[in-house]
Amino acid sequence: MRILFFGTKSYDEKFFKEFLEKENYHDLEIHFIEPNLTADTARLADGYEAVCAFVNMDLGTATIDILHECGVKLILMRCAGYNNVDLDEAAKLGITVMRVPSYSPEAVAEHAMALVLTANRHMHKAYVKGRENDFSLSGLMGVNLYGKTAGIIGTGKIGAAMARLCHGFGMRVIGYDTHQNPSLDFVEYVDFDHILAESDLISLHCPLFESNYHMINKEAIDKMKDGVILVNTSRGALIKTADLVQGIRDGKFFAVGLDVYEEETGSVYEDMSEQILSHSTMARLLSFPNVMVTSHQGFLTKEALEAISQTTLDNAQAFVEGRKNGNELCA
Ligand code: NAD
């Protein structure tokens, strides 16, 4: 099966090629290209049976229709989230969509904790100050995590890993989820209003659905403690950015760490250092000293990339052999 791999980065090619050779996936041939998959680039898939795509690409109705016209039968998402894929359209056209449901929850949770620690203890500022020979302590005061309350919204695989990290820091851990995770016996489940009101740190780990779009909005922010730390490594649109910006201006947040943000499609993973920012919301977020933004990189560890490559190739192999392996989103 010929697979067109969209949005290739050097690390993708390295890990996928390594596993292709090591595991003898003889039925699979991958062609790596740089452009992201969108309705404008989908025609490149002409003659390929499968495409491989990622979280930052646009697999809406128009893209899926073009892929179908090109003869694509399989979409391999090399990620867990799939809110950017029109699954109904794919199912209607008989295209199978597969994903990597779990690769390394710890990779994302450890990044969430890195955001908490960096934003709280101002590591980014300390690094820059030190390099300028400025060892003064102004602007570097943080707060202790020990003894505080961590509120985990979404206690699935990544949320559970984050809950364990917070527990290890000596925090009381409370959780909000539509389904409770029985493995987290140290987590006290509360309702949404209570998690907002009681948490000193709020970390978002639920998938994005229409039902929880902008779940963190003005009303939710008003219910939070003053001086709360908010971290989002899940999906940007869980937070209404305009309301977050107002909350930051009002002094509600001690620190905010964002690995994902509403305007990321089109800009994430790109070097735009020589461009003038066209999105005013991002410019505003970047202007706040207590906001730390990273580039949807929670997944970016060696272990996670290995697991992503192997599972994606396993998915393709299962499809070739006509087997279902449980990673189908629609088939
Ligand atoms: P998961 O399916 O294991 O867990 C998600 C949990 O959220 C489940 O327990 C579910 O019941 C809960 N949930 C669903 N709707 C909810 C709601 N409205 N309120 C509260 N909880 C709700 O998923 P996971 O592997 O832990 O991944 C979570 C999310 O992390 C993904 O959907 C994705 O958006 C994001 N993610 C980000 C990165 C990154 O690089 N930053 C990488 C992978 C995944």
Side-chain angles (χ1 to χ4, degrees):
M1 181 169 69
R2 294 180 71 229
I3 304 167
L4 187 61
F5 195 106
F6 281 91
T8 309
K9 304 288 179 210
S10 55
Y11 51 80
D12 291 319
E13 198 163 344
K14 173 182 180 307
F15 283 97
F16 272 82
K17 278 190 170 163
E18 205 174 290
F19 276 94
L20 259 184
E21 282 159 28
K22 203 162 70 183
E23 306 282 339
N24 297 321
Y25 293 100
H26 296 306
D27 297 328
L28 308 178
E29 183 191 318
I30 303 187
H31 183 53
F32 294 92
I33 60 168
E34 269 186 38
N36 283 338
L37 177 56
T38 66
D40 291 333
T41 60
R43 293 229 175 264
L44 294 169
D46 202 12
Y48 286 86
E49 208 177 342
V51 294
C52 186
F54 198 51
V55 277
N56 57 325
M57 304 184 193
D58 168 13
L59 286 89
T61 317
T63 306
I64 303 272
D65 288 350
I66 298 169
L67 292 178
H68 175 64
E69 285 166 26
C70 291
V72 169
K73 303 271 185 301
L74 172 66
I75 296 173
L76 294 161
M77 297 302 296
R78 52 182 189 275
C79 51
Y82 50 89
N83 53 286
N84 54 333
V85 187
D86 186 340
L87 290 181
D88 291 340
E89 188 69 3
K92 196 176 88 188
L93 298 173
I95 298 178
T96 298
V97 183
M98 300 179 82
R99 66 164 177 152
V100 183
S102 175
Y103 38 91
S104 175
E106 289 75 20
V108 185
E110 287 173 17
H111 189 75
M113 187 50 95
L115 282 172
V116 174
L117 294 173
T118 306
N120 173 29
R121 303 304 295 266
H122 313 286
M123 293 303 184
H124 51 310
K125 284 195 225 165
Y127 174 77
V128 173
K129 279 165 70 102
R131 289 174 68 93
E132 295 292 326
N133 217 19
D134 172 2
F135 296 100
S136 68
L137 298 182
S138 57
L140 299 184
M141 190 193 70
V143 290
N144 278 15
L145 296 180
Y146 181 79
K148 299 280 170 48
T149 299
I152 310 293
I153 298 187
T155 55
K157 293 178 285 296
I158 298 171
M162 181 63 173
R164 284 191 285 269
L165 291 178
C166 293
H167 190 55
F169 272 76
M171 303 184 83
R172 169 185 174 233
V173 187
I174 58 177
Y176 167 73
D177 198 309
T178 43
H179 297 89
Q180 298 193 2
N181 186 333
S183 72
L184 298 175
D185 54 5
F186 57 90
V187 172
E188 187 189 323
Y189 279 92
V190 295
D191 64 24
F192 188 54
D193 280 0
H194 276 90
I195 206 156
L196 297 174
E198 289 182 27
S199 303
D200 301 291
L201 157 66
I202 296 177
S203 195
L204 303 181
H205 298 288
C206 56
L208 174 66
F209 300 119
E210 260 170 39
S211 54
N212 61 11
Y213 176 78
H214 284 176
M215 74 194 293
I216 303 297
N217 53 19
K218 181 180 182 325
E219 202 188 338
I221 291 169
D222 285 347
K223 289 177 185 159
M224 293 178 190
K225 277 187 179 179
D226 289 341
V228 64
I229 297 174
L230 175 69
V231 169
N232 188 9
T233 54
S234 199
R235 283 293 177 268
L238 291 172
I239 299 180
K240 187 170 178 186
T241 316
D243 291 0
L244 175 67
V245 165
Q246 192 53 51
I248 296 167
R249 284 199 170 131
D250 294 344
K252 186 74 179 179
F253 298 94
F254 187 78
V256 174
L258 304 173
D259 188 43
V260 289
Y261 28 92
E262 285 194 281
E263 292 166 345
E264 69 182 56
T265 309
S267 62
V268 77
Y269 308 135
E270 301 302 325
D271 177 1
M272 302 194 303
S273 54
E274 293 185 17
Q275 292 175 30
I276 291 168
L277 269 183
S278 57
H279 301 301
S280 57
T281 321
M282 176 51 74
R284 252 176 282 152
L285 278 175
L286 291 174
S287 73
F288 297 121
N290 59 341
V291 175
M292 177 81 204
V293 177
T294 54
S295 186
H296 203 144
Q297 67 185 67
F299 72 97
L300 197 65
T301 66
K302 177 177 176 289
E303 291 78 3
L305 289 170
E306 284 170 353
I308 287 171
S309 313
Q310 178 135 37
T311 307
T312 305
L313 293 169
D314 284 347
N315 288 348
Q317 188 65 35
F319 180 85
V320 167
E321 292 170 13
R323 274 188 292 117
K324 292 241 187 314
N325 71 359
N327 292 339
E328 298 81 11
L329 291 166
C330 71

